[in-house]
C-alpha cells in the first residue's frame, strides 16, 4: 500500500498517465494482415491494440507476430499478408484495465510485465493506453517534489 501522501502526489499526475485513444495507432480485427504490417512499419510501435467494430479491445498485435507468419522453414513469403486477417494472428490474452476501477498499486504491478495497458470503460470500449513510461515520469515527479509538498503541509499544520 502506498503512503497516503505519496498516493496523493501520484493521483495529482494520474490524468497525464493516459494517452487518449485518439492519439493511438490501432488496427481492427477484420483488417487484412498487410494493412497491419504497413501500420506497424510506419508508426514504429512495437505493439498496438486491436479493436473490433464496436471499438472494444480484442487483442494486441506486433510486427514480430506478423513476420512469424511470413517465415517458412527456408524462405520468407508475403502470401500470409494477403491470406490472413489481423484476428488470425493477434494476441488474445493480455491485461487491460478500467482506469477508474483499478488501484494505482494494481496498475504498477501490471506495468512490471507490460510496457502498456489498454484502458477500457465499463462497456469495454477502448479509451487509451496507460504506459510504463508515463508511470515512471509520474514517479519521477513524486520523488522530486515530495519534500516540497511535505514541507508545505508541515508549515500549514503548525
Amino acid at each position: 500500500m502506498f503512503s497516503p501522501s505519496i498516493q496523493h502526489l501520484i493521483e495529482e499526475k494520474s490524468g497525464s498517465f493516459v494517452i487518449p485513444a485518439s492519439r493511438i495507432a490501432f488496427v481492427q480485427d477484420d483488417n487484412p494482415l498487410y494493412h497491419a504490417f504497413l501500420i506497424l512499419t510506419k508508426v514504429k510501435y512495437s505493439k498496438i491494440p486491436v479493436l473490433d467494430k464496436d471499438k472494444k479491445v480484442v487483442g494486441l498485435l506486433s510486427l514480430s507476430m506478423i513476420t512469424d507468419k511470413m517465415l517458412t522453414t527456408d524462405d520468407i513469403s508475403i502470401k500470409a499478408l494477403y491470406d490472413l486477417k489481423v484476428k488470425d494472428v493477434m494476441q488474445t490474452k493480455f491485461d487491460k484495465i478500467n482506469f477508474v476501477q483499478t488501484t494505482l498499486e494494481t496498475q504498477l504491478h501490471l506495468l512490471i510485465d507490460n510496457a502498456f495497458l489498454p484502458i477500457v470503460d465499463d462497456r469495454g470500449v477502448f479509451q487509451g493506453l496507460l504506459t510504463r513510461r508515463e508511470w515512471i515520469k509520474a514517479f519521477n515527479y513524486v520523488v522530486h517534489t515530495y519534500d516540497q509538498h511535505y514541507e508545505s503541509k508541515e508549515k500549514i499544520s503548525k
Side-chain angles (χ1 to χ4, degrees), residues 1-148:
M1 182 149 118
F2 292 138
S3 83
S5 56
I6 289 177
Q7 180 158 343
H8 175 73
L9 282 174
I10 291 173
E11 286 172 347
E12 280 182 12
K13 296 292 284 181
S14 68
S16 65
F17 290 5
V18 179
I19 301 172
S22 62
R23 292 186 38 219
I24 303 296
F26 66 89
V27 291
Q28 290 190 305
D29 60 349
D30 62 350
N31 286 147
L33 204 52
Y34 74 83
H35 175 75
F37 182 78
L38 292 172
I39 297 285
L40 279 161
T41 303
K42 292 296 183 189
V43 298
K44 297 185 172 97
Y45 291 140
S46 60
K47 197 178 272 190
I48 58 175
V50 178
L51 308 182
D52 67 9
K53 63 179 175 17
D54 298 319
K55 302 285 189 223
K56 294 182 179 180
V57 183
V58 293
L60 301 175
L61 186 69
S62 70
L63 201 51
S64 65
M65 291 174 199
I66 297 172
T67 55
D68 185 57
K69 294 295 182 187
M70 296 169 61
L71 299 175
T72 66
T73 53
D74 59 348
D75 198 10
I76 298 173
S77 170
I78 63 168
K79 187 174 178 341
L81 295 178
Y82 296 94
D83 292 347
L84 298 174
K85 294 199 177 285
V86 168
K87 62 184 162 196
D88 300 323
V89 177
M90 69 185 187
Q91 171 187 346
T92 57
K93 293 186 183 191
F94 58 95
D95 292 314
K96 59 186 170 187
I97 60 169
N98 179 313
F99 197 65
V100 176
Q101 297 174 355
T102 308
T103 66
L104 293 173
E105 210 165 338
T106 299
Q107 293 170 21
L108 186 55
H109 284 292
L110 289 171
L111 286 170
I112 290 170
D113 295 321
N114 298 283
F116 66 85
L117 297 167
I119 302 168
V120 298
D121 66 11
D122 294 335
R123 296 181 328 262
V125 175
F126 182 58
Q127 300 297 304
L129 295 177
L130 175 66
T131 67
R132 185 186 301 144
R133 181 178 190 271
E134 294 303 317
W135 232 102
I136 290 171
K137 284 169 47 179
F139 179 75
N140 187 46
Y141 166 80
V142 168
V143 298
H144 285 91
T145 61
Y146 179 77
D147 286 343
Q148 295 166 351

